[in-house]
Amino acid sequence: MTAVVLTYNEEENIDFCMRSICGICKSIFILDSGSTDATLEICRNYTNQIYYHEFKNSADQWQWALDHLPIQDEWIMLLDADHVLSGPLQSEIVNQLAEGEQEISAYYCRHRYIYRGKKMHGFKSRGLLLFRRGCVRLDSGERHDYKFIIQGQVAELRGFRYEENRKENDQAYWLQKHRIFADRIARDELLRLYGMKQWQNQGWLFGHHDERIVWLKQRWLRMPLFVRPFLYFFYRYIFRGGFRDGWIGLQYHFLQAFWFRVQIDIKRMKLKHDLGIGRSNLKDLNS
């Protein structure tokens, strides 16, 4: 099994990630996009397979990794530098691959986001972790996020992958990062509304995780602006149990499920006003 890890100035996170995979992976590839801190020095404690590729967006970066890295193993694990595999998940992966179920092409695992040291409920509950080489490609219709197109059957692992970006403990960093994300998502939404950009994944409520997310996004796209942030916050905080996360959780769910979504709606409305209504004016959003 080979792990591929994306990095960019991740000295605060990368050692935790590497320690959680070095014991179960035959090879580890680092795909860096220009780190200037100690990220690569830390990585060299675990692997010499370090490559560089300029970052454009997440989907392009992952697809470049799958197309160009000299991966030889049958199974590939994809991780961001702030991901850590729990002990039970590590053992589960080893056991599943030892059983050698030939009909399975990819494994999803449970995903838990950690904000300021506390595990959050109700956000990003699943994510693709492991797949057979040649069975997965990236959906090029995503700029901010990334979705996978999978050939073959998928299965679920019960263990958790944790996501904890320690840089986000700095509130100013978190806010600036999400302002950038909001701009990208607002542009994507306008392009989709006018039929100038489409998901390659066919949205399906009863499909695998990425197909369900596309199905939900297709409906979210046409919901009334400034109404959907209220609905999403209610869904996340009440229905999905965010209220269990205490005061820190209230801060996080308010910022990520409400404030961030309001920023997207504001930017989308402003872009539409500035560019005017019409397909010919929207081509600049792809730049």
Side-chain angles (χ1 to χ4, degrees), residues 5 10 15 17 25 28 30 43 82 92 105 113 117 166 183 201 212 223 231 246 260 266 273:
V5 184
E10 297 287 353
D15 193 57
C17 175
C25 292
I28 300 175
I30 303 298
C43 289
D82 55 0
E92 190 177 5
S105 295
Y113 185 82
R166 291 158 184 82
D183 183 70
N201 245 329
R212 290 196 300 272
M223 291 178 66
L231 296 176
F260 177 43
I266 291 172
H273 176 269

Side-chain angles (χ1 to χ4, degrees), residues 45-183:
N45 293 326
Y46 299 92
T47 181
N48 292 319
Q49 299 274 22
I50 298 175
Y51 294 79
Y52 168 82
H53 184 252
E54 182 181 359
F55 186 90
K56 295 180 181 178
N57 59 64
S58 295
D60 283 353
Q61 196 76 345
W62 281 123
Q63 192 62 60
W64 190 95
L66 298 181
D67 291 341
H68 294 90
L69 295 180
I71 298 171
Q72 301 298 319
D73 291 323
E74 179 183 12
W75 287 96
I76 303 172
M77 180 191 300
L78 297 186
L79 295 168
D80 286 332
D82 55 0
H83 290 173
V84 173
L85 306 188
S86 66
L89 179 57
Q90 295 174 38
S91 300
E92 190 177 5
I93 291 169
V94 172
N95 293 336
Q96 286 292 333
L97 296 189
E99 292 178 5
E101 297 184 59
Q102 294 301 316
E103 69 276 12
I104 303 299
S105 295
Y107 288 96
Y108 282 80
C109 70
R110 293 198 286 177
H111 190 100
R112 184 63 59 82
Y113 185 82
I114 299 177
Y115 179 70
R116 296 191 173 184
K118 187 172 181 60
K119 298 172 185 176
M120 298 290 106
H121 291 84
F123 173 61
K124 199 174 181 179
S125 61
R126 291 287 188 281
L128 183 68
L129 175 66
L130 191 63
F131 58 87
R132 292 184 192 271
R133 184 158 49 95
C135 292
V136 164
R137 60 188 175 91
L138 277 292
D139 187 337
S140 62
E142 286 277 3
R143 179 195 299 255
H144 161 67
D145 205 352
Y146 52 90
K147 298 289 177 287
F148 297 95
I149 300 171
I150 302 169
Q151 298 176 350
Q153 297 184 36
V154 303
E156 299 273 348
L157 300 171
R158 294 187 55 79
F160 278 99
R161 171 179 59 190
Y162 296 113
E163 178 183 352
E164 182 177 11
N165 188 344
R166 291 158 184 82
K167 293 184 290 185
E168 293 183 355
N169 291 335
D170 179 353
Q171 193 73 26
Y173 174 90
W174 193 98
L175 292 171
Q176 180 58 25
K177 174 182 173 180
H178 282 76
R179 288 190 184 100
I180 294 171
F181 286 171
D183 183 70

Side-chain angles (χ1 to χ4, degrees), residues 8-25:
Y8 176 71
N9 288 343
E10 297 287 353
E11 65 180 6
E12 297 179 52
N13 300 311
I14 189 61
D15 193 57
F16 297 94
C17 175
M18 299 295 276
R19 277 189 280 165
S20 76
I21 62 175
C22 65
I24 63 172
C25 292

Side-chain angles (χ1 to χ4, degrees), residues 33-44:
S33 51
S35 293
T36 56
D37 63 1
T39 297
L40 300 185
E41 181 180 346
I42 296 170
C43 289
R44 290 189 184 97

Side-chain angles (χ1 to χ4, degrees), residues 163-223:
E163 178 183 352
E164 182 177 11
N165 188 344
R166 291 158 184 82
K167 293 184 290 185
E168 293 183 355
N169 291 335
D170 179 353
Q171 193 73 26
Y173 174 90
W174 193 98
L175 292 171
Q176 180 58 25
K177 174 182 173 180
H178 282 76
R179 288 190 184 100
I180 294 171
F181 286 171
D183 183 70
R184 294 176 185 171
I185 294 172
R187 291 168 180 266
D188 274 2
E189 287 193 357
L190 277 179
L191 290 169
R192 294 188 202 285
L193 279 171
Y194 285 88
M196 298 180 68
K197 193 171 188 178
Q198 296 180 348
W199 287 282
Q200 293 179 307
N201 245 329
Q202 296 300 312
W204 186 30
L205 179 59
F206 301 104
H208 61 68
H209 176 78
D210 287 315
E211 291 172 334
R212 290 196 300 272
I213 293 298
V214 169
W215 186 89
L216 290 169
K217 282 189 172 185
Q218 288 168 343
R219 280 136 189 86
W220 172 267
L221 189 63
R222 298 185 180 277
M223 291 178 66

